[in-house]
Each structure stands twice: as C-alpha cells, then as structure tokens.
Amino acid sequence: EAQVTQNPRYLITVTGKKLTVTCSQNMNHEYMSWYRQDPGLGLRQIYYSMNVEVTDKGDVPEGYKVSRKEKRNFPLILESPSPNQTSLYFCASSPWPKTYEQYFGPGTRLTVT
Amino acid sequence: EDQVTQSPEALRLQEGESSSLNCSYTVSGLRGLFWYRQDPGKGPEFLFTLYSAGEEKEKERLKATLTKKESFLHITAPKPEDSATYLCAVQARYSGGSNYKLTFGKGTLLTVNP
C-alpha cells in the first residue's frame, strides 16, 4: 500500500530534551515536506526537500532541523524543544515534477511540557 | 504573499441538502489548486487538483470548480460520512526559486446530520 508513515504517533516530552520524528514514504517521491497544524493557524510548512541532500526552509523553520540522506526518509529533529512547539505534525510527499499534489502521513501529536 | 481564504468556517447540513464551499485565493501565478479532506486527528486526504480556470473535477458526491480568483467544492446530496474539514491549498508558480510548498486555507468544518 502506498503510504507515508510517521513515528511516533504521540509523544510527550520535556523542554530541552532532543527528539526526532521519523517520516518514511514508499512511493519513490522526490519531494517531501513537514507541516505543523495549530488551531486557528491552519497548516504551515516547516521544511521541505526537493531531493536527497537538498532541503530548504518553509514558513516556520525556527527550532527545527531536517536531513534527507535517503530518498524515502525525511526525519524532523527538535534539538531543544520548547512548549510553543506543542502541535500536530504532518509529513507529506509529492510525485513532483510529474504532478504536484501532496500525500500526508497520519500525524504526530507532540506535547512539550 | 500567497493567501487562501475559505468560507464558511463551519457548515451544518441535513442529509441530502446540497451546498457549496468557497475558496478564494491570491497568488502570483497559480501552478495548482488542491482540495483535501481531513478527519479529526488524521492527515489530510487528497481529493482534487485544478490547474486552470474553467476546469472541473468530480468524485462521487463532490465536484470542484475553478475560476481565476476562487474555487468551489460542491457537495450534492451529502451523507453523514461526508462530515469532515475540507481544506483548500494553492501552489504558486514562481519565476525563480524552488519552493513547491502549499499554502493552506483554514478549512471549512462540514457536519452532515442524518
């Protein structure tokens, strides 16, 4: 089944404790991206990647890091999480440049206390 | 800056009562407009892509249309299982750079009562 997977699905952590959220897709997509979704603010892009070793900032990159060492994986790293990073996070991939729609993972609900 | 505004914020329908959701957008050159459905606590599910004014796409009870300034998602004879948040997003055609990001609206929460 073609899909985007994320782990963990739920995470509660404390301020300053480094964490990584993994994202993997099995559709051989070049493009991958991370979004956060907050009430009243909608979905906002954090980082995106056009290809292996190519990443760039989205609208809200502060406090986040990414890497793209393999085509299928695009982990999101929070080196020193803060409470304002409590959110619902989604990873997505796209068959760009063939078409531009993005396919989303199931989400990771992160709480930072 | 790309902007997407969806209306209404919430819509409550009776089963079988057709209606439309609106997505108004401002973008410097449209590469594509996308509709997604999102159920509570889940990732957005892709529905349609529209590329140019006048284009229409249909899927079951849903029909999406596009003009130069807005898109409509028409829901014909909705059922309770159509209840969800419907998201509109645009992708701009930039003359330079490589960001293929989506700019999302805040969504319309649709509730269909039996």
PDB file of all heavy atoms in Angstrom, chain A residues 63-80:
ATOM      1  N   GLY A  63      13.753  26.511  15.214  1.00  0.00           N
ATOM      2  CA  GLY A  63      13.681  25.479  16.237  1.00  0.00           C
ATOM      3  C   GLY A  63      13.641  24.065  15.689  1.00  0.00           C
ATOM      4  O   GLY A  63      13.560  23.110  16.461  1.00  0.00           O
ATOM      5  N   TYR A  64      13.710  23.914  14.394  1.00  0.00           N
ATOM      6  CA  TYR A  64      13.637  22.604  13.749  1.00  0.00           C
ATOM      7  C   TYR A  64      14.848  22.368  12.851  1.00  0.00           C
ATOM      8  O   TYR A  64      15.439  23.305  12.346  1.00  0.00           O
ATOM      9  CB  TYR A  64      12.377  22.478  12.892  1.00  0.00           C
ATOM     10  CG  TYR A  64      11.092  22.731  13.614  1.00  0.00           C
ATOM     11  CD1 TYR A  64      10.501  23.996  13.591  1.00  0.00           C
ATOM     12  CD2 TYR A  64      10.446  21.715  14.317  1.00  0.00           C
ATOM     13  CE1 TYR A  64       9.319  24.246  14.256  1.00  0.00           C
ATOM     14  CE2 TYR A  64       9.251  21.952  14.981  1.00  0.00           C
ATOM     15  CZ  TYR A  64       8.703  23.217  14.945  1.00  0.00           C
ATOM     16  OH  TYR A  64       7.520  23.452  15.605  1.00  0.00           O
ATOM     17  N   LYS A  65      15.187  21.094  12.679  1.00  0.00           N
ATOM     18  CA  LYS A  65      16.207  20.690  11.708  1.00  0.00           C
ATOM     19  C   LYS A  65      15.679  19.500  10.937  1.00  0.00           C
ATOM     20  O   LYS A  65      14.844  18.728  11.432  1.00  0.00           O
ATOM     21  CB  LYS A  65      17.509  20.296  12.416  1.00  0.00           C
ATOM     22  CG  LYS A  65      18.339  21.434  12.918  1.00  0.00           C
ATOM     23  CD  LYS A  65      19.589  20.922  13.612  1.00  0.00           C
ATOM     24  CE  LYS A  65      20.462  20.101  12.691  1.00  0.00           C
ATOM     25  NZ  LYS A  65      21.717  19.652  13.360  1.00  0.00           N
ATOM     26  N   VAL A  66      16.176  19.334   9.716  1.00  0.00           N
ATOM     27  CA  VAL A  66      15.827  18.177   8.912  1.00  0.00           C
ATOM     28  C   VAL A  66      17.072  17.665   8.211  1.00  0.00           C
ATOM     29  O   VAL A  66      18.085  18.352   8.135  1.00  0.00           O
ATOM     30  CB  VAL A  66      14.756  18.506   7.848  1.00  0.00           C
ATOM     31  CG1 VAL A  66      13.416  18.830   8.488  1.00  0.00           C
ATOM     32  CG2 VAL A  66      15.230  19.628   6.935  1.00  0.00           C
ATOM     33  N   SER A  67      16.970  16.455   7.706  1.00  0.00           N
ATOM     34  CA  SER A  67      18.023  15.910   6.852  1.00  0.00           C
ATOM     35  C   SER A  67      17.364  14.977   5.842  1.00  0.00           C
ATOM     36  O   SER A  67      16.300  14.408   6.105  1.00  0.00           O
ATOM     37  CB  SER A  67      19.072  15.154   7.674  1.00  0.00           C
ATOM     38  OG  SER A  67      18.513  13.981   8.248  1.00  0.00           O
ATOM     39  N   ARG A  68      18.002  14.833   4.684  1.00  0.00           N
ATOM     40  CA  ARG A  68      17.469  13.928   3.657  1.00  0.00           C
ATOM     41  C   ARG A  68      18.646  13.142   3.080  1.00  0.00           C
ATOM     42  O   ARG A  68      19.243  13.507   2.087  1.00  0.00           O
ATOM     43  CB  ARG A  68      16.775  14.727   2.546  1.00  0.00           C
ATOM     44  CG  ARG A  68      16.062  13.832   1.529  1.00  0.00           C
ATOM     45  CD  ARG A  68      14.646  13.618   1.855  1.00  0.00           C
ATOM     46  NE  ARG A  68      13.938  12.792   0.916  1.00  0.00           N
ATOM     47  CZ  ARG A  68      13.327  13.252  -0.189  1.00  0.00           C
ATOM     48  NH1 ARG A  68      13.389  14.532  -0.495  1.00  0.00           N
ATOM     49  NH2 ARG A  68      12.660  12.428  -0.965  1.00  0.00           N
ATOM     50  N   LYS A  69      18.973  12.082   3.758  1.00  0.00           N
ATOM     51  CA  LYS A  69      20.107  11.251   3.339  1.00  0.00           C
ATOM     52  C   LYS A  69      19.676  10.107   2.429  1.00  0.00           C
ATOM     53  O   LYS A  69      20.493   9.531   1.703  1.00  0.00           O
ATOM     54  CB  LYS A  69      20.841  10.719   4.555  1.00  0.00           C
ATOM     55  CG  LYS A  69      21.405  11.833   5.436  1.00  0.00           C
ATOM     56  CD  LYS A  69      22.305  11.307   6.511  1.00  0.00           C
ATOM     57  CE  LYS A  69      22.761  12.414   7.447  1.00  0.00           C
ATOM     58  NZ  LYS A  69      23.390  13.525   6.712  1.00  0.00           N
ATOM     59  N   GLU A  70      18.411   9.770   2.505  1.00  0.00           N
ATOM     60  CA  GLU A  70      17.856   8.735   1.643  1.00  0.00           C
ATOM     61  C   GLU A  70      16.570   9.279   1.038  1.00  0.00           C
ATOM     62  O   GLU A  70      15.902  10.107   1.653  1.00  0.00           O
ATOM     63  CB  GLU A  70      17.509   7.473   2.435  1.00  0.00           C
ATOM     64  CG  GLU A  70      18.642   6.859   3.196  1.00  0.00           C
ATOM     65  CD  GLU A  70      18.110   5.770   4.123  1.00  0.00           C
ATOM     66  OE1 GLU A  70      17.628   6.118   5.211  1.00  0.00           O
ATOM     67  OE2 GLU A  70      18.149   4.590   3.733  1.00  0.00           O
ATOM     68  N   LYS A  71      16.204   8.779  -0.115  1.00  0.00           N
ATOM     69  CA  LYS A  71      15.022   9.285  -0.803  1.00  0.00           C
ATOM     70  C   LYS A  71      13.753   9.042  -0.003  1.00  0.00           C
ATOM     71  O   LYS A  71      12.858   9.882   0.021  1.00  0.00           O
ATOM     72  CB  LYS A  71      14.905   8.616  -2.170  1.00  0.00           C
ATOM     73  CG  LYS A  71      13.933   9.273  -3.118  1.00  0.00           C
ATOM     74  CD  LYS A  71      14.024   8.610  -4.475  1.00  0.00           C
ATOM     75  CE  LYS A  71      13.204   9.340  -5.493  1.00  0.00           C
ATOM     76  NZ  LYS A  71      13.328   8.707  -6.832  1.00  0.00           N
ATOM     77  N   ARG A  72      13.652   7.911   0.663  1.00  0.00           N
ATOM     78  CA  ARG A  72      12.405   7.556   1.308  1.00  0.00           C
ATOM     79  C   ARG A  72      12.213   8.175   2.693  1.00  0.00           C
ATOM     80  O   ARG A  72      11.111   8.194   3.214  1.00  0.00           O
ATOM     81  CB  ARG A  72      12.279   6.043   1.401  1.00  0.00           C
ATOM     82  CG  ARG A  72      13.340   5.378   2.245  1.00  0.00           C
ATOM     83  CD  ARG A  72      13.172   3.866   2.222  1.00  0.00           C
ATOM     84  NE  ARG A  72      11.944   3.483   2.901  1.00  0.00           N
ATOM     85  CZ  ARG A  72      11.040   2.651   2.370  1.00  0.00           C
ATOM     86  NH1 ARG A  72      11.219   2.147   1.166  1.00  0.00           N
ATOM     87  NH2 ARG A  72       9.964   2.329   3.038  1.00  0.00           N
ATOM     88  N   ASN A  73      13.270   8.681   3.322  1.00  0.00           N
ATOM     89  CA  ASN A  73      13.183   9.147   4.705  1.00  0.00           C
ATOM     90  C   ASN A  73      13.460  10.640   4.843  1.00  0.00           C
ATOM     91  O   ASN A  73      14.367  11.180   4.189  1.00  0.00           O
ATOM     92  CB  ASN A  73      14.171   8.379   5.582  1.00  0.00           C
ATOM     93  CG  ASN A  73      13.860   6.906   5.653  1.00  0.00           C
ATOM     94  OD1 ASN A  73      12.697   6.506   5.701  1.00  0.00           O
ATOM     95  ND2 ASN A  73      14.893   6.079   5.650  1.00  0.00           N
ATOM     96  N   PHE A  74      12.711  11.267   5.744  1.00  0.00           N
ATOM     97  CA  PHE A  74      12.869  12.711   5.954  1.00  0.00           C
ATOM     98  C   PHE A  74      12.563  13.011   7.423  1.00  0.00           C
ATOM     99  O   PHE A  74      11.482  13.472   7.769  1.00  0.00           O
ATOM    100  CB  PHE A  74      11.919  13.463   5.024  1.00  0.00           C
ATOM    101  CG  PHE A  74      12.145  14.945   4.949  1.00  0.00           C
ATOM    102  CD1 PHE A  74      13.417  15.494   4.864  1.00  0.00           C
ATOM    103  CD2 PHE A  74      11.064  15.813   4.932  1.00  0.00           C
ATOM    104  CE1 PHE A  74      13.618  16.851   4.782  1.00  0.00           C
ATOM    105  CE2 PHE A  74      11.243  17.192   4.840  1.00  0.00           C
ATOM    106  CZ  PHE A  74      12.515  17.708   4.764  1.00  0.00           C
ATOM    107  N   PRO A  75      13.508  12.768   8.318  1.00  0.00           N
ATOM    108  CA  PRO A  75      13.244  12.979   9.745  1.00  0.00           C
ATOM    109  C   PRO A  75      13.219  14.450  10.138  1.00  0.00           C
ATOM    110  O   PRO A  75      13.932  15.271   9.565  1.00  0.00           O
ATOM    111  CB  PRO A  75      14.422  12.250  10.416  1.00  0.00           C
ATOM    112  CG  PRO A  75      15.511  12.274   9.394  1.00  0.00           C
ATOM    113  CD  PRO A  75      14.823  12.177   8.058  1.00  0.00           C
ATOM    114  N   LEU A  76      12.405  14.753  11.133  1.00  0.00           N
ATOM    115  CA  LEU A  76      12.309  16.095  11.713  1.00  0.00           C
ATOM    116  C   LEU A  76      12.951  16.054  13.090  1.00  0.00           C
ATOM    117  O   LEU A  76      12.579  15.220  13.920  1.00  0.00           O
ATOM    118  CB  LEU A  76      10.842  16.517  11.830  1.00  0.00           C
ATOM    119  CG  LEU A  76      10.568  17.899  12.426  1.00  0.00           C
ATOM    120  CD1 LEU A  76      11.040  18.999  11.473  1.00  0.00           C
ATOM    121  CD2 LEU A  76       9.076  18.061  12.730  1.00  0.00           C
ATOM    122  N   ILE A  77      13.881  16.962  13.329  1.00  0.00           N
ATOM    123  CA  ILE A  77      14.648  16.977  14.574  1.00  0.00           C
ATOM    124  C   ILE A  77      14.352  18.253  15.350  1.00  0.00           C
ATOM    125  O   ILE A  77      14.427  19.352  14.789  1.00  0.00           O
ATOM    126  CB  ILE A  77      16.156  16.879  14.271  1.00  0.00           C
ATOM    127  CG1 ILE A  77      16.455  15.625  13.460  1.00  0.00           C
ATOM    128  CG2 ILE A  77      16.971  16.900  15.571  1.00  0.00           C
ATOM    129  CD1 ILE A  77      17.758  15.669  12.715  1.00  0.00           C
ATOM    130  N   LEU A  78      14.023  18.077  16.627  1.00  0.00           N
ATOM    131  CA  LEU A  78      13.882  19.206  17.528  1.00  0.00           C
ATOM    132  C   LEU A  78      15.007  19.076  18.549  1.00  0.00           C
ATOM    133  O   LEU A  78      14.966  18.209  19.419  1.00  0.00           O
ATOM    134  CB  LEU A  78      12.520  19.196  18.224  1.00  0.00           C
ATOM    135  CG  LEU A  78      11.309  19.627  17.390  1.00  0.00           C
ATOM    136  CD1 LEU A  78      10.932  18.559  16.357  1.00  0.00           C
ATOM    137  CD2 LEU A  78      10.127  19.933  18.293  1.00  0.00           C
ATOM    138  N   GLU A  79      16.018  19.894  18.419  1.00  0.00           N
ATOM    139  CA  GLU A  79      17.209  19.741  19.257  1.00  0.00           C
ATOM    140  C   GLU A  79      16.980  20.219  20.693  1.00  0.00           C
ATOM    141  O   GLU A  79      17.527  19.641  21.637  1.00  0.00           O
ATOM    142  CB  GLU A  79      18.388  20.488  18.644  1.00  0.00           C
ATOM    143  CG  GLU A  79      18.788  19.979  17.275  1.00  0.00           C
ATOM    144  CD  GLU A  79      20.298  19.918  17.093  1.00  0.00           C
ATOM    145  OE1 GLU A  79      20.982  20.778  17.671  1.00  0.00           O
ATOM    146  OE2 GLU A  79      20.759  19.022  16.367  1.00  0.00           O
ATOM    147  N   SER A  80      16.149  21.227  20.860  1.00  0.00           N
ATOM    148  CA  SER A  80      15.834  21.722  22.201  1.00  0.00           C
ATOM    149  C   SER A  80      14.370  22.165  22.214  1.00  0.00           C
ATOM    150  O   SER A  80      14.085  23.369  22.140  1.00  0.00           O
ATOM    151  CB  SER A  80      16.762  22.881  22.583  1.00  0.00           C
ATOM    152  OG  SER A  80      16.508  23.307  23.908  1.00  0.00           O
TER     153      SER A  80
END
